[in-house]
Amino acid sequence: MPLRCSLAGGSFAHSVRWFVRRSRSTDAPAGRDTNNDPQTTKSAFMKCRLLALLLAPVVGAAVLLVAAGCDTYQPAGVDKQYVVEAYLRAADTLPPVRLSRTAPVEATYEFNKQAVSNAEVQVRRVDVDDAPPVGYVERADSAGVYRPAELPSRPEGAGVAQPLARYRLTVRPPAGDGIATEEVTAETVVPDTFGIVETSGDTLTWRQDELRATLTQSQYPGRRARFIVATTALAPSRENLTPLAARILDRAEGEEVSINELAVTESPVINGGNYELSPRGTLTIDIPWLVANFYGPNEIAIRALGDNYYDFVRSQNVQQGGSTFSPGAIPNVIERVEGGTGLFGSYAGATYRLRVTRGDSGGL
């Protein structure tokens, strides 16, 4: 439902708090797909860290609309909700699940402060009969982070995210937590795996050479694959900044943007349906040079997105100003979680290394 003059007191506030948090996680080294979790490794820096800057005029305009008397709406308090977060990677072990609460509108969201312990968590494949659920246990060293329980015996493949399979997450929060929710559920269909057949080169000149990758197909029910490309600089330094990234850093002075945060960037969604398949069934995608913020060695991670992940990313882009919506009619983020909020997503991934060099004009 589009947001109108009630922008100040609805689920928009939840989305802002959660998106900002997603840029601040330090659970894993930057850029690595540790624990199958691309977002909590800061891979969405440009989307998440700059969200507050991009949303500031939107929020301000909405407040002015309310103050101007577009109706007699009185901002209501935002009810607390549970937040779930997990990312299944095709053909990899089932990932950790993070469980927390939303923060009050006036507070900064910090996972450690909002983490929820003592919940019952399980993930189960639901597109086949008699698939056993995989129970989760809370990590002793990380409140609110649940991992698959280690069992002496488990059916082969039960602990692995199978390509093209549908999985359901079920979370039963502890009683007496103050949130009137007995169960949080979400489902995701995992994309098929794919591979990188060839690239336009392992050493390329920034913005002068073509940046492309040829891939085998990643199948998905009802549509062609949709990709994002995340780049991790392996030798980030101010001296290695590309001109565009250097300007971003200079303009963001005072906003606590660091070199390490710029080291991990993410492309907009790349629709595989916009590219023709070759006679051998592969497709070659163009990768925007905007994903490379540093000269030198970089790791390129290409991810084919499941529907939940894709819907979340594309609606997040709208929240950040990537649309022609007026400030009072920005749609809510698409989350697909019942009984709470967050993201239970899935993807398939492949990576390669690229060295980015300066051109004759210094990369300009």
Side-chain angles (χ1 to χ4, degrees):
M1 178 178 179
L3 296 167
R4 295 184 176 87
C5 293
S6 59
L7 184 64
S11 63
F12 174 81
H14 285 159
S15 300
V16 173
R17 302 263 165 236
W18 192 49
F19 287 140
V20 172
R21 193 276 306 162
R22 286 158 63 82
S23 72
R24 298 178 180 172
S25 173
T26 55
D27 290 353
R32 293 177 54 191
D33 281 346
T34 303
N35 295 332
N36 302 10
D37 190 344
Q39 295 299 333
T40 58
T41 60
K42 299 183 182 178
S43 67
F45 157 71
M46 290 306 294
K47 292 187 176 183
C48 301
R49 166 53 97 178
L50 299 184
L51 178 69
L53 296 179
L54 292 169
L55 285 180
V58 175
V59 175
V63 171
L64 288 176
L65 284 172
V66 174
C70 57
D71 58 28
T72 57
Y73 172 79
Q74 295 295 322
V78 178
D79 293 334
K80 281 188 176 181
Q81 294 187 72
Y82 290 111
V83 182
V84 296
E85 186 177 11
Y87 305 85
L88 280 67
R89 176 170 176 160
D92 209 341
T93 55
L94 292 178
V97 173
R98 294 161 60 92
L99 178 63
S100 61
R101 309 171 190 84
T102 53
V105 174
E106 70 279 1
T108 299
Y109 182 100
E110 296 181 41
F111 177 79
N112 293 338
K113 293 182 179 180
Q114 302 298 332
V116 175
S117 295
N118 302 317
E120 296 180 19
V121 179
Q122 71 174 32
V123 172
R124 181 175 184 172
R125 184 174 178 180
V126 294
D127 60 333
V128 295
D129 295 333
D130 302 324
V134 176
Y136 276 61
V137 296
E138 189 173 11
R139 286 179 49 176
D141 60 344
S142 297
V145 180
Y146 298 79
R147 59 174 176 77
E150 296 180 3
L151 299 177
S153 62
R154 178 180 287 158
E156 184 177 356
V160 174
Q162 300 296 329
L164 299 177
R166 177 180 290 272
Y167 289 85
R168 177 184 296 138
L169 168 68
T170 302
V171 175
R172 297 183 179 89
D177 194 45
I179 301 178
T181 299
E182 296 182 357
E183 187 174 86
V184 181
T185 61
E187 293 189 7
T188 186
V189 175
V190 180
D192 196 7
T193 56
F194 68 95
I196 299 174
V197 177
E198 61 183 357
T199 68
S200 51
D202 56 11
T203 301
L204 299 175
T205 301
W206 187 72
R207 297 187 70 176
Q208 294 183 16
D209 292 328
E210 293 182 335
L211 181 55
R212 293 179 173 176
T214 300
L215 316 172
T216 59
Q217 290 190 68
S218 174
Q219 303 291 338
Y220 200 80
R223 63 168 172 82
R224 294 275 297 275
R226 289 158 180 156
F227 303 94
I228 57 173
V229 180
T231 301
T232 303
L234 303 181
S237 67
R238 179 171 284 275
E239 293 73 23
N240 282 344
L241 282 169
T242 63
L244 179 59
R247 287 196 294 271
I248 292 173
L249 187 63
D250 291 340
R251 292 175 182 176
E253 186 176 354
E255 298 296 337
E256 299 181 354
V257 175
S258 71
I259 291 290
N260 287 336
E261 287 174 320
L262 282 172
V264 185
T265 56
E266 192 173 89
S267 75
V269 173
I270 299 171
N271 190 342
N274 293 336
Y275 297 88
E276 293 186 4
L277 293 175
S278 72
R280 56 179 177 169
T282 62
L283 72 160
T284 299
I285 61 172
D286 296 311
I287 301 173
W289 272 110
L290 291 174
V291 300
N293 279 342
F294 291 86
Y295 300 118
N298 289 264
E299 182 174 87
I300 310 295
I302 303 175
R303 301 188 184 112
L305 309 183
D307 275 346
N308 292 0
Y309 198 165
Y310 165 68
D311 286 340
F312 190 92
V313 170
R314 68 183 177 90
S315 59
Q316 183 188 36
N317 287 341
V318 173
Q319 290 280 354
Q320 296 175 7
S323 72
T324 58
F325 284 105
S326 62
I330 300 175
N332 290 334
V333 171
I334 302 172
E335 301 178 75
R336 305 194 188 283
V337 175
E338 297 294 329
T341 186
L343 176 59
F344 182 54
S346 57
Y347 69 102
T351 63
Y352 72 99
R353 294 288 180 93
L354 169 69
R355 178 171 290 277
V356 179
T357 62
R358 293 173 170 82
D360 296 336
S361 60
L364 294 174

